[in-house]
Amino acid sequence: MLICSKINCTPLRHYAKYIKENIFESIHTIKNSDDYLGIFYSEFMRFSGGDGQTLGIVLTPTHITELFCDLVDLKASDKMLDPCCGTGGFLITAMDYMLLRAKK
């Protein structure tokens, strides 16, 4: 296993630690319905020279997930099922809507 002397750990461990300390902790405290995995995937695909659609991967835009949550009038006590869950965009938006409507 490759160990980088500058970072004093494996590259995978270094990047996992960096993501946890610099990205996850800030996402955890921000209250919004952004699909961070979807955003990361979109950026990754942009730099790879493709868009993922040739692989059959199509991410639902946030404005669509929000529209559907509005249309069904989600309540805090509802249950949400996303049988085609990819990055969890619908689930994230639904959770955000439900949390905003919860009493506690």
Side-chain angles (χ1 to χ4, degrees):
M1 188 177 298
L2 174 65
I3 297 179
C4 301
S5 60
K6 233 181 196 182
I7 57 176
N8 201 26
C9 60
T10 64
L12 179 60
R13 184 174 184 89
H14 171 75
Y15 287 115
K17 184 179 176 186
Y18 180 86
I19 288 169
K20 180 168 185 339
E21 292 173 356
N22 297 294
I23 298 172
F24 176 76
E25 295 301 329
S26 64
I27 290 172
H28 185 68
T29 59
I30 297 171
K31 304 293 183 204
N32 66 33
S33 60
D34 289 342
D35 175 9
Y36 290 101
L37 184 58
I39 294 168
F40 174 79
Y41 177 78
S42 296
E43 284 298 307
F44 178 78
M45 291 309 293
R46 188 167 67 97
F47 288 102
S48 73
D51 62 0
Q53 291 184 4
T54 56
L55 300 172
I57 300 168
V58 180
L59 300 177
T60 307
T62 303
H63 68 277
I64 300 297
T65 60
E66 290 172 352
L67 170 68
F68 275 84
C69 287
D70 284 338
L71 290 174
V72 298
D73 190 30
L74 280 177
K75 310 230 179 349
S77 60
D78 288 340
K79 291 181 173 56
M80 176 68 174
L81 171 68
D82 184 1
C84 299
C85 181
T87 61
F90 271 107
L91 298 175
I92 292 166
T93 303
M95 179 185 68
D96 187 54
Y97 269 64
M98 291 174 180
L99 288 172
L100 290 173
R101 286 154 181 78
K103 292 181 180 170
K104 295 183 185 179

